Amino acid sequence: MVYQQNHCGVFRSDSAGDSWTDITGDLPSRFGFVLGIHSQDPDTIYVLPEDEATVDALGGGLRYVTGAKFRVFRRRNGGRDWTPLTKGLPQENAYLHVLREGMATDDLDPCVIYIGTAAGQLWYSRAGGDRWDLLMDN
């Protein structure tokens, strides 16, 4: 299976990219860049929805996490249910942005998820996203 998140939602392909299924579901935004896959369970994925606000006539915009809450969303069981993961992440005035390559997972057991913000913060979870810690700030 193959996954992607882009400006139009989150999608899954079970046909090596020949056809795609929209699995965006009830995420708070269809927009976003990063997607991580759990190294021991490819049916578990992580995304970080963002908002995009155009601020000038040239299409320049501000991008930051939806609702100014830094929430990673996890989807297990092949993509049926999204769960917001917030423990340890800022939930107020979090005008943070994560670039395209800003999320990674490793192949350790347990799988560790890493998220780097454009502001220089590096967050990680050794608990499948259930709890997050700040590794580096700015």
Side-chain angles (χ1 to χ4, degrees):
M1 78 192 80
V2 181
Y3 296 98
Q4 68 165 312
Q5 179 180 20
N6 57 42
H7 294 238
C8 304
V10 181
F11 301 88
R12 173 185 168 152
S13 175
D14 295 315
S15 61
D18 288 337
S19 62
W20 293 90
T21 302
D22 185 343
I23 61 170
T24 307
D26 61 352
L27 286 174
S29 171
R30 296 190 67 81
F31 183 86
F33 290 117
V34 299
L35 186 144
I37 301 173
H38 192 287
S39 59
Q40 285 90 40
D41 180 9
D43 281 336
T44 298
I45 63 173
Y46 304 90
V47 299
L48 194 133
E50 293 192 346
D51 288 333
E52 179 177 40
T54 302
V55 295
D56 63 34
L58 299 175
L62 298 173
R63 295 176 176 153
Y64 51 86
V65 292
T66 304
K69 297 177 182 181
F70 199 69
R71 297 173 290 174
V72 175
F73 285 78
R74 177 178 58 212
R75 192 157 191 155
R76 291 183 169 157
N77 59 30
R80 292 191 251 329
D81 304 305
W82 289 109
T83 303
L85 308 170
T86 61
K87 187 172 183 183
L89 297 174
Q91 297 303 296
E92 292 182 11
N93 300 315
Y95 295 97
L96 301 170
H97 173 49
V98 177
L99 298 171
R100 291 183 202 284
E101 291 82 21
M103 181 185 288
T105 59
D106 64 25
D107 60 357
L108 298 175
D109 188 10
C111 173
V112 182
I113 307 126
Y114 305 90
I115 299 173
T117 70
Q121 297 158 327
L122 181 59
W123 298 89
Y124 72 98
S125 174
R126 290 188 176 130
D130 289 330
R131 184 187 69 256
W132 294 87
D133 293 295
L134 183 62
L135 180 65
M136 183 184 328
D137 193 3
N138 301 319

